[in-house]
Amino acid sequence: MELYTYYRSTSSYRVRIALALKGLDYRALPINLIAPGGGEQRQPAYLAVNPQGRVPALRTDAGDVLTQSPAIIEFLEERYPQVPLLASDLLTRARERAVAAVIGCDIHPLHNSGTTNLLRQWGHDDAQVLEWIGHWVSQGLAAVEQLIGDTGYCFGKAPGLADVYLIPQLYAAQRFKVSLEVYPRIRRVAALAEQHPAFIKAHPANQPDTPL
Amino acid sequence: MELYTYYRSTSSYRVRIALALKGLDYRALPINLIAPGGGEQRQPAYLAVNPQGRVPALRTDAGDVLTQSPAIIEFLEERYPQVPLLASDLLTRARERAVAAVIGCDIHPLHNSGTTNLLRQWGHDDAQVLEWIGHWVSQGLAAVEQLIGDTGYCFGKAPGLADVYLIPQLYAAQRFKVSLEVYPRIRRVAALAEQHPAFIKAHPANQPDTPL
C-alpha cells in the first residue's frame, strides 16, 4: 500500500496509527501542504490522485485510491480484520464510532487549515483564530471525556478506533495551546499511547517528511 | 426505538432516511432547537439523554442511547442488515463512506448552527454567513459530484449510505440558496429521491414537529 500523507495532518496521522496498530507495511508518499510556491495538494500531480486536494489518500495493493480518513480506516478494518479496531458487540462499536464522529465532525473540521485560512482571509488575526480553535477543541474534548471509559485506552485494554482519532486530536490541541488539565480520562489515554510502539511510529515527529 | 430529532436538522434527517429505507418503526421525540427561551437541546432534560446537547440521539429497543449520526447509521446497518445501505464489496463501501465523510466532515460542520452562531457573535452579518456557507457547500458538493456514479442513485440502482447523507445536504443547500446547477449527477440523484417513499417520509416537511 501507499499512503499520501503529511506529517502534521491529523487525518493522515489517524490512518498511520490504524496501519501501525494492524502491523501493515506501506510506502509513505509525503505531500507538503505548505510547500513554498503553493501546497502540493493543489498541484496537478496530486489532484490527479485525489481531486479534492486533501490528504490522506491510500493506494491499495490492488491499485485503487481511497480518500477520506473515516472511509480509509473502515476499509482497513474490513480488509485486515486481524488486530480489530472495533469491539465485537454492537453497542461498544457505536460508542467507539461516536467518539470518532465527535472528533472527526465536531472538532477537526473547525480547525482544519482550510477553515482557519478562510477566517484569516476574513480579517481575523492569529489570536482570534486561536480562540476559535480553542472553543471547538475544548467543547469537543469535554464530550469525549464523558464518552470514554475509566480505565485503559478509550474503551478498554487495547487501543481502538476512538484512540486512533483521539491521539492526533490531542497533538493538534497541544499545537494550538489548548490545556488538557480538565480531562483526566483523556490524559490517561494519552499517557498510555505515548508508550505504545504503533502510536510512536505514527507520530508526526517520526515521519519521513518531518522537518529536521 | 425512539429518535430524538428536529425536523430541519440534517443529521437527524440522515437517520430518519436510514430508518425509513430499512423499514424500521420508531417513535419521534422532537427537540426544538430554536424554542423561545432557549433551545431544548440545552435544557437539563435533554442533556441527561445526550450530554453533548446535539440531535439526533437514538434510544434502542434495549434502552441504550446512541449519539452521533455516523455512529447511529453504522449501528443500524449492523443491527438490521436487511435492506443494506452499504455495498457488499469493500471498494464500493469505501467510496460510499468517502461521500458520507465529505458531507459529514467537510460540509455540514461548517454550516451547523453552532458554527454560524459563533460567526454571528464575531460580528459577521447574514450576507457574510451565507457566503461562508456557500463556500463550503459548493466546494464539498463539487467533490461529491466527482465521486458518485453516472446512473441511478449515488452508487447504483438502490439508495444507500451516500444518498442518506446527500439528500439532507441538498435540503440545506436549498435552504441556504446554493445553486445545484453545475452538479448534474447530484441533481439526478435528487430527482430520484424526491419520488422515493422513504425519502418522502423522512423529509423535514413531513415530521411531527414541522411548523404549520
Side-chain angles (χ1 to χ4, degrees), chain A residues 11 16 24 42 84-85 89-90 105 122 126-127 136 155 164 179 183 186 196:
Chain A
S11 47
R16 295 196 304 256
L24 297 168
R42 296 273 161 228
L85 301 176
D89 73 287
L90 299 192
C105 304
W122 281 25
D126 285 347
W136 299 109
F155 292 96
V164 162
S179 167
Y183 313 118
I186 287 175
H196 190 298

Side-chain angles (χ1 to χ4, degrees), chain A residues 115-174:
Chain A
T115 307
T116 54
N117 287 344
L118 190 56
L119 285 173
R120 285 198 174 87
Q121 279 176 39
W122 281 25
H124 296 291
D125 62 21
D126 285 347
Q128 285 177 308
V129 169
L130 271 186
E131 184 191 332
W132 172 276
I133 293 171
H135 174 86
W136 299 109
V137 174
S138 303
Q139 189 179 91
L141 290 184
V144 170
E145 179 76 9
Q146 291 190 289
L147 288 165
I148 65 178
D150 278 326
T151 58
Y153 286 92
C154 287
F155 292 96
K157 283 184 188 167
L161 184 75
D163 308 286
V164 162
Y165 278 73
L166 178 59
I167 298 304
Q169 188 55 61
L170 299 182
Y171 170 79
Q174 189 173 34

Side-chain angles (χ1 to χ4, degrees), chain B:
Chain B
M1 285 185 281
E2 295 179 319
L3 181 68
Y4 295 89
T5 172
Y6 178 59
Y7 77 105
R8 207 165 58 173
S9 143
T10 56
S11 46
S12 300
Y13 187 2
R14 289 175 200 157
V15 175
R16 295 196 305 257
I17 297 170
L19 287 161
L21 284 171
K22 287 177 176 290
L24 297 168
D25 274 336
Y26 66 95
R27 188 157 76 103
L29 300 173
I31 299 296
N32 186 352
L33 303 189
I34 57 164
E40 291 174 359
Q41 79 279 17
R42 297 272 160 228
Q43 303 304 318
Y46 187 66
L47 290 175
V49 172
N50 178 6
Q52 212 188 351
R54 294 183 182 233
V55 290
L58 180 80
R59 182 172 287 114
T60 69
D61 286 338
D64 298 303
V65 174
L66 308 182
T67 62
Q68 290 287 336
S69 66
I72 293 170
I73 294 165
E74 293 274 357
F75 169 85
L76 292 172
E77 179 72 352
E78 294 181 339
R79 175 71 183 76
Y80 305 99
Q82 62 276 30
V83 194
L85 301 176
L86 288 162
S88 53
D89 72 287
L90 299 192
L91 183 60
T92 307
R93 293 167 78 86
R95 302 248 186 274
E96 293 175 299
R97 285 183 172 126
V99 170
V102 169
I103 294 167
C105 306
D106 295 343
I107 305 180
H108 178 249
L110 281 314
H111 73 66
N112 209 356
S113 57
T115 308
T116 54
N117 286 344
L118 190 56
L119 285 173
R120 286 197 175 86
Q121 280 176 38
W122 281 25
H124 296 291
D125 62 20
D126 285 349
Q128 285 177 306
V129 168
L130 272 186
E131 184 190 333
W132 172 277
I133 293 171
H135 174 86
W136 300 110
V137 174
S138 302
Q139 188 179 91
L141 290 183
V144 170
E145 179 76 8
Q146 291 190 287
L147 287 166
I148 65 178
D150 278 325
T151 59
Y153 287 92
C154 287
F155 292 95
K157 283 183 187 169
L161 185 75
D163 308 286
V164 162
Y165 277 73
L166 178 59
I167 298 304
Q169 188 56 60
L170 299 182
Y171 169 79
Q174 190 174 35
R175 195 179 146 207
F176 298 126
K177 305 181 197 326
V178 178
S179 168
L180 302 180
E181 200 180 330
V182 292
Y183 314 118
R185 291 171 168 175
I186 286 174
R187 282 190 284 111
R188 177 203 77 222
V189 174
L192 286 173
E194 260 174 33
Q195 308 296 324
H196 190 298
F199 288 89
I200 293 168
K201 186 178 176 195
H203 194 279
N206 303 324
Q207 301 311 304
D209 58 332
T210 308
L212 292 178

Side-chain angles (χ1 to χ4, degrees), chain A residues 3 9-21 56 68-70 72-73 76 85 100-105 107-109 111 161-169 199 202, chain B residues 105:
Chain A
L3 182 68
S9 143
T10 57
S11 47
S12 301
Y13 187 3
R14 289 175 199 156
V15 175
R16 295 196 304 256
I17 296 170
L19 287 161
L21 284 171
Q68 289 287 336
S69 65
I72 294 170
I73 293 166
L76 292 173
L85 301 176
V102 169
I103 294 167
C105 304
I107 304 179
H108 178 247
H111 73 65
L161 184 75
D163 308 286
V164 162
Y165 278 73
L166 178 59
I167 298 304
Q169 188 55 61
F199 288 90
Chain B
C105 306

